[in-house]
Amino acid sequence: MLPDENRNAQAVEIQEDVSREDIVSAFRSAMVGHFRSHIPGTNINESTLLASDYLNHFHELVMLLEALSSEPEAFSEDLLAWRPLTYEEHFTQSGFRDKNLAIAAYRRAPHRIRARFDDAVARLHGEALTLVATVGNVLDGGRDLEKTCQESAARLRILIDEANAIANGEIPAERGDTEAQGEVSNQAAIDALFGT
């Protein structure tokens, strides 16, 4: 057999032995490995491929609530103008040094971890908008602004901590979700998701 014929025969054999799913799995594994190789030295978690810096968007709201209770005239407009941003919107608009890597890694984060994180963020968005509206009503009604702001900030901190724990590969103790604990806190389980 001539060298060119041998190469063609091997290519046919490889094509027959490798399924589409195997190719997709190998590609995904290579992409995840690529992202993980660029992550050291950044604020992106190597296991989850998520950057908790996104949560700064919600920390800003907490700071606004705390400032509003003592200086409503100075901060009420900023508070009422606050709107949630998606993960990608936040990084697109931010000065985060590794924002493009953060967005690309987020898109390839393990499905279950990303779904859990996205659910936590959706709760944060909903609660944040509700609390902004509640505080806006208190501003108009002259009720106990300080107490409302403190309670709102405390509520947001709980939700931020939950999302932060997911982004950093931890599970909040109060969740008690043993499947999630195994998935997020155990590096071997995360590697199994990628087939590495």
Side-chain angles (χ1 to χ4, degrees):
M1 189 178 283
L2 298 173
D4 286 338
E5 290 176 355
N6 189 24
R7 239 182 278 143
N8 289 338
Q10 287 176 342
V12 169
E13 287 177 26
I14 289 172
Q15 289 175 355
E16 291 173 1
D17 291 343
V18 179
S19 71
R20 180 175 175 82
E21 291 79 24
D22 291 339
I23 294 169
V24 169
S25 177
F27 178 75
R28 178 162 175 74
S29 180
M31 289 300 295
V32 169
H34 173 75
F35 285 113
R36 284 191 173 152
S37 73
H38 285 82
I39 287 174
T42 70
N43 288 339
I44 302 168
N45 185 282
E46 290 183 51
S47 298
T48 66
L49 300 180
L50 299 171
S52 61
D53 284 55
Y54 166 65
L55 300 172
N56 290 343
H57 176 56
F58 297 99
H59 285 291
E60 291 169 7
L61 179 57
V62 169
M63 289 187 294
L64 276 172
L65 286 165
E66 292 170 343
L68 183 74
S69 65
S70 59
E71 297 181 60
E73 302 81 23
F75 295 102
S76 61
E77 190 175 314
D78 290 336
L79 178 83
L80 296 174
W82 187 91
R83 295 292 175 261
L85 296 173
T86 67
Y87 189 94
E88 293 187 24
E89 288 170 338
H90 170 76
F91 282 112
T92 299
Q93 297 174 19
S94 79
F96 187 67
R97 180 189 67 182
D98 301 302
K99 65 184 176 182
N100 292 331
L101 180 60
I103 291 168
Y106 168 78
R107 291 176 181 168
R108 285 159 184 84
H111 175 72
R112 286 189 235 170
I113 294 171
R114 181 172 161 191
R116 190 176 312 284
F117 181 75
D118 289 345
D119 287 346
V121 168
R123 284 191 302 280
L124 257 169
H125 283 173
E127 190 71 21
L129 289 172
T130 299
L131 294 173
V132 167
T134 300
V135 172
N137 290 335
V138 170
L139 281 168
D140 292 339
R143 291 177 281 161
D144 190 1
L145 180 62
E146 185 174 353
K147 181 181 177 193
T148 303
C149 287
Q150 287 175 353
E151 290 172 355
S152 297
R155 175 69 184 141
L156 284 176
R157 277 193 201 95
I158 291 168
L159 295 173
I160 291 168
D161 288 346
E162 180 180 350
N164 190 56
I166 295 166
N168 288 313
E170 305 161 0
I171 288 293
E174 64 271 10
R175 293 266 325 244
D177 184 344
T178 56
E179 178 188 67
Q181 288 172 347
E183 173 189 287
V184 178
S185 63
N186 186 344
Q187 180 64 44
I190 293 169
D191 289 341
L193 289 170
F194 294 108
T196 58

